[in-house]
Amino acid sequence: DAGVTQSPTHLIKTRGQQVTLRCSPKSGHDTVSWYQQALGQGPQFIFQYYEEEERQRGNFPDRFSGHQFPNYSSELNVNALLLGDSALYLCASSSQDRNTEAFFGQGTRLTVV
Amino acid sequence: AQSVTQPDIHITVSEGASLELRCNYSYGATPYLFWYVQSPGQGLQLLLKYFSGDTLVQGIKGFEAEFKRSQSSFNLRKPSVHWSDAAEYFCAVGALYGGATNKLIFGTGTLLAVQP
């Protein structure tokens, strides 16, 4: 079982650019959530996807958007990058069919310069 | 407002000593509680969870936690700390939406250092 996989592991972008991060959920999971973890902070919920739709959203601007594909994998897109978007972005997967905790990937470290 | 408070930002313990990390939560619905551990630059690994039933839950690596509804607390304990336990520990609260874990609200974390 591969667990939750994220790509890339590290990324450096310039202010104003756009970035796409990718996540493959754990086998058997159909729900994907994204979190932003700034340095020295706990993770903050961005949004959650199920059945290719955004189900819940945290307090993040519209520059943050996502997508879920039929195979349950997901992308996080951030437009017009700001220096403050530098963080570790974590993907978590879980299942609607049974009570499960969220399993996290190793994250993508995004640095905006 | 929903929130998680971890009052201890940084704790240092000696190897072999006991450990207790504090967590208090504020949550309107029935809480589901979690402790995760994070090594530097890594993702989060689940240590243990409380969904219902026995309020003392056992986790991996010898950790346990006790849910106290009257105190809105979910403190993490370990009787004897090993040097490999040095990491950052996060308490989180959520709910079940459908069957899957709802959005998690995390505390700011407690950084554990272990001295020889």
Side-chain angles (χ1 to χ4, degrees):
Chain A
D1 185 359
V4 181
T5 59
Q6 293 186 241
S7 64
T9 55
H10 294 83
L11 203 52
I12 300 175
K13 289 287 189 178
T14 304
R15 276 179 298 174
Q17 286 188 317
Q18 178 264 345
V19 68
T20 298
L21 310 181
R22 295 177 176 82
C23 172
S24 292
K26 182 178 170 63
S27 178
H29 285 184
D30 53 15
T31 301
V32 173
S33 302
W34 286 92
Y35 291 81
Q36 180 195 66
Q37 186 179 18
L39 201 61
Q41 300 296 316
Q44 298 287 319
F45 176 79
I46 302 175
F47 42 54
Q48 185 178 82
Y49 276 85
Y50 171 64
E51 293 188 332
E52 303 179 47
E53 292 189 355
E54 183 183 293
R55 294 201 321 171
Q56 297 181 83
R57 189 178 183 91
N59 189 25
F60 279 80
D62 293 344
R63 298 187 297 109
F64 290 77
S65 63
H67 189 77
Q68 186 179 35
F69 299 94
N71 66 353
Y72 308 120
S73 66
S74 177
E75 289 181 348
L76 164 66
N77 300 290
V78 187
N79 295 322
L81 284 167
L82 304 173
L83 294 179
D85 295 331
S86 296
L88 181 68
Y89 288 85
L90 295 165
C91 170
S93 73
S94 53
S95 171
Q96 290 293 318
D97 289 339
R98 54 192 182 275
N99 294 347
T100 61
E101 65 273 20
F103 287 79
F104 283 81
Q106 295 301 295
T108 294
R109 172 69 64 185
L110 172 64
T111 302
V112 182
V113 297
Chain B
Q2 301 170 346
S3 65
V4 174
T5 301
Q6 293 181 248
D8 304 306
I9 297 173
H10 190 191
I11 285 182
T12 300
V13 299
S14 298
E15 191 168 16
S18 64
L19 172 70
E20 183 169 23
L21 302 183
R22 295 181 291 165
C23 172
N24 292 95
Y25 67 90
S26 173
Y27 200 74
T30 301
Y32 293 90
L33 295 155
F34 308 85
W35 275 98
Y36 284 89
V37 62
Q38 186 177 39
S39 297
Q42 300 298 308
L44 300 172
Q45 181 184 22
L46 181 71
L47 286 175
L48 46 78
K49 63 189 179 189
Y50 172 77
F51 280 178
S52 64
D54 193 348
T55 56
L56 184 63
V57 294
Q58 303 297 319
I60 63 172
K61 304 183 180 184
F63 286 92
E64 66 177 25
E66 186 171 13
F67 171 55
K68 294 185 177 180
R69 186 184 298 274
S70 61
Q71 298 177 19
S72 298
S73 69
F74 189 57
N75 293 349
L76 181 72
R77 301 192 294 250
K78 186 170 184 177
S80 177
V81 169
H82 188 263
W83 65 266
S84 60
D85 292 326
E88 189 149 27
Y89 292 79
F90 291 94
C91 179
V93 65
L96 289 182
Y97 188 91
T101 303
N102 201 357
K103 67 177 183 180
L104 294 175
I105 299 169
F106 285 86
T108 52
T110 297
L111 186 62
L112 174 65
V114 180
Q115 60 186 19

